[in-house]
Amino acid sequence: MRGGQSLAEALESYLAEWSERTGITVETWALPATDVPSRVSSGVMATMREALSNVELHSRARTVSIAVTVGRSGLRMTVSDNGQGFPAAGAGRGIARMRAAFAEMGGTLSVNSVHGEGTTVTGVVPRRR
């Protein structure tokens, strides 16, 4: 994050720049209303960049939907595109990097892709007790 910028602000500016550059529409459904620990913010931003890079390079999507929410149970990030999808065996290094970023934060990341319909990446970081 740039100095003093919240995760929501960092995501907003990044998503706007990315959409402008790629021509892919971003629908932002939710951004965190509360502060997020910097370790988690950094991991979410890194994962978001990787997920959107995959959308740009591989999906042929026209629209990507983003939701990042923080609740009592923790943080949830969803990136969903309407692209061509890919077979499960097609998961590459980018997905491994995203999983590793969420694992470092104590979370999990799943990727669900339906050929011809798109891909959804969902990451969850449980709140520490």
Side-chain angles (χ1 to χ4, degrees):
M1 288 345 90
R2 297 183 197 126
Q5 203 178 31
S6 73
L7 177 58
E9 290 165 338
L11 283 167
E12 265 179 353
S13 57
Y14 179 73
L15 294 170
E17 288 164 18
W18 183 85
S19 179
E20 179 77 24
R21 183 173 56 75
T22 62
I24 299 170
T25 302
V26 173
E27 293 177 347
T28 305
W29 292 356
L31 292 175
T34 58
D35 279 343
V36 175
S38 61
R39 176 181 69 84
V40 174
S41 289
S42 298
V44 168
M45 285 304 295
T47 304
M48 184 67 71
R49 282 192 285 272
E50 186 70 51
L52 290 176
S53 173
N54 288 343
V55 170
E56 177 183 0
L57 296 173
H58 308 298
S59 76
R60 298 198 184 121
R62 290 172 311 288
T63 305
V64 62
S65 303
I66 307 288
V68 181
T69 56
V70 178
R72 275 200 295 274
S73 59
L75 177 139
R76 180 179 198 87
M77 178 191 99
T78 306
V79 179
S80 191
D81 72 60
N82 68 352
Q84 62 186 1
F86 62 90
R93 286 194 202 98
I95 290 171
R97 282 193 295 269
M98 291 188 293
R99 284 202 170 109
F102 265 76
E104 272 179 38
M105 297 183 286
T108 57
L109 182 124
S110 63
V111 178
N112 185 357
S113 190
V114 177
H115 191 70
E117 292 182 25
T119 302
T120 299
V121 174
T122 305
V124 177
V125 181
R127 184 179 293 273
R128 286 204 165 136
R129 300 277 169 239

